[in-house]
Coordinates of all heavy atoms in Angstrom, one line a residue:
L37 N 121.9 86.5 -69.9 CA 123.2 86.9 -69.1 C 123.1 88.5 -68.9 O 122.3 89.1 -69.8 CB 124.4 86.8 -69.9 CG 125.2 85.5 -69.9 CD1 126.5 85.7 -70.7 CD2 125.6 85.1 -68.5
P122 N 123.8 79.9 -65.9 CA 125.0 79.9 -65.0 C 125.6 81.3 -64.8 O 125.3 82.2 -65.5 CB 126.0 79.1 -65.8 CG 125.6 79.3 -67.3 CD 124.1 79.5 -67.3
R123 N 126.4 81.3 -63.7 CA 126.9 82.6 -63.3 C 128.4 82.6 -63.0 O 129.0 83.7 -62.6 CB 126.2 83.0 -61.9 CG 125.6 84.3 -61.9 CD 125.0 84.4 -60.4 NE 124.5 85.6 -60.2 CZ 123.2 85.9 -60.3 NH1 122.3 84.9 -60.7 NH2 122.7 87.1 -59.9
T124 N 129.0 81.4 -63.2 CA 130.5 81.3 -63.1 C 130.9 80.4 -64.2 O 130.1 79.6 -64.7 CB 130.9 80.7 -61.7 OG1 130.4 79.3 -61.7 CG2 130.4 81.5 -60.6
L125 N 132.2 80.4 -64.5 CA 132.7 79.5 -65.5 C 132.5 78.0 -65.1 O 132.1 77.2 -66.0 CB 134.2 79.7 -65.8 CG 134.4 81.0 -66.6 CD1 135.9 81.3 -66.7 CD2 133.9 80.9 -68.0
A126 N 132.6 77.7 -63.9 CA 132.4 76.4 -63.4 C 130.9 75.9 -63.6 O 130.7 74.8 -64.1 CB 132.8 76.2 -61.9
A128 N 128.9 77.1 -65.8 CA 128.7 77.0 -67.4 C 129.2 75.7 -67.9 O 128.5 75.1 -68.7 CB 129.4 78.2 -68.0
V145 N 122.3 82.4 -76.0 CA 122.6 83.1 -74.8 C 122.5 84.5 -75.0 O 123.2 85.1 -75.8 CB 124.1 82.7 -74.2 CG1 124.4 83.5 -73.0 CG2 124.2 81.2 -74.0
S213 N 133.1 87.3 -61.7 CA 132.7 85.9 -61.9 C 131.8 85.7 -63.1 O 131.9 84.6 -63.7 CB 132.0 85.3 -60.7 OG 132.8 85.5 -59.5
T214 N 131.0 86.6 -63.4 CA 130.0 86.3 -64.5 C 130.3 86.9 -65.8 O 130.1 86.2 -66.9 CB 128.5 86.8 -64.1 OG1 128.3 86.3 -62.7 CG2 127.5 86.3 -64.9
A215 N 130.9 88.1 -65.8 CA 131.3 88.7 -67.1 C 132.2 87.8 -68.0 O 132.0 87.7 -69.3 CB 132.0 90.1 -66.9
P216 N 133.0 86.9 -67.5 CA 133.8 86.0 -68.3 C 133.0 85.0 -69.1 O 133.5 84.5 -70.1 CB 134.7 85.2 -67.3 CG 134.9 86.1 -66.1 CD 133.6 86.9 -66.0
L217 N 131.7 84.8 -68.7 CA 130.8 84.0 -69.5 C 130.6 84.5 -70.9 O 130.2 83.8 -71.8 CB 129.5 83.7 -68.8 CG 129.6 83.0 -67.4 CD1 128.2 82.5 -67.0 CD2 130.5 81.7 -67.5
I218 N 130.7 85.8 -71.1 CA 130.4 86.4 -72.4 C 131.4 85.8 -73.4 O 131.0 85.4 -74.6 CB 130.6 87.9 -72.3 CG1 129.5 88.5 -71.3 CG2 130.4 88.6 -73.6 CD1 129.7 90.0 -71.0
E219 N 132.6 85.7 -73.1 CA 133.6 85.2 -74.0 C 133.4 83.7 -74.1 O 133.4 83.1 -75.2 CB 135.0 85.4 -73.4 CG 136.2 85.2 -74.4 CD 136.1 86.0 -75.7 OE1 135.4 87.1 -75.7 OE2 136.6 85.5 -76.7
F220 N 133.0 83.0 -73.0 CA 132.8 81.5 -73.0 C 131.8 81.2 -74.0 O 131.9 80.3 -74.8 CB 132.3 81.1 -71.6 CG 132.0 79.7 -71.4 CD1 132.9 78.7 -71.0 CD2 130.7 79.2 -71.6 CE1 132.7 77.4 -70.8 CE2 130.3 77.8 -71.5 CZ 131.3 77.0 -71.1
Y221 N 130.6 82.0 -74.1 CA 129.5 81.7 -75.0 C 129.8 82.2 -76.4 O 129.3 81.7 -77.4 CB 128.2 82.1 -74.5 CG 127.7 81.2 -73.4 CD1 127.6 81.7 -72.1 CD2 127.5 79.8 -73.6 CE1 127.1 80.8 -71.0 CE2 127.1 79.0 -72.6 CZ 126.9 79.5 -71.3 OH 126.5 78.6 -70.3
K222 N 130.6 83.3 -76.5 CA 130.9 83.9 -77.8 C 131.8 82.9 -78.6 O 131.4 82.6 -79.7 CB 131.7 85.2 -77.6 CG 131.9 86.0 -78.8 CD 132.6 87.3 -78.4 CE 132.8 88.1 -79.6 NZ 133.5 89.4 -79.2
L227 N 126.4 83.5 -78.5 CA 126.1 84.9 -77.9 C 125.2 85.8 -78.8 O 125.6 86.0 -79.9 CB 127.4 85.5 -77.6 CG 127.3 86.6 -76.5 CD1 127.0 86.1 -75.2 CD2 128.5 87.5 -76.5

Side-chain angles (χ1 to χ4, degrees):
L37 271 189
R123 230 182 178 99
T124 64
L125 286 171
V145 174
S213 305
T214 312
L217 296 191
I218 296 171
E219 195 56 29
F220 179 92
Y221 285 118
K222 190 175 182 178
L227 197 73

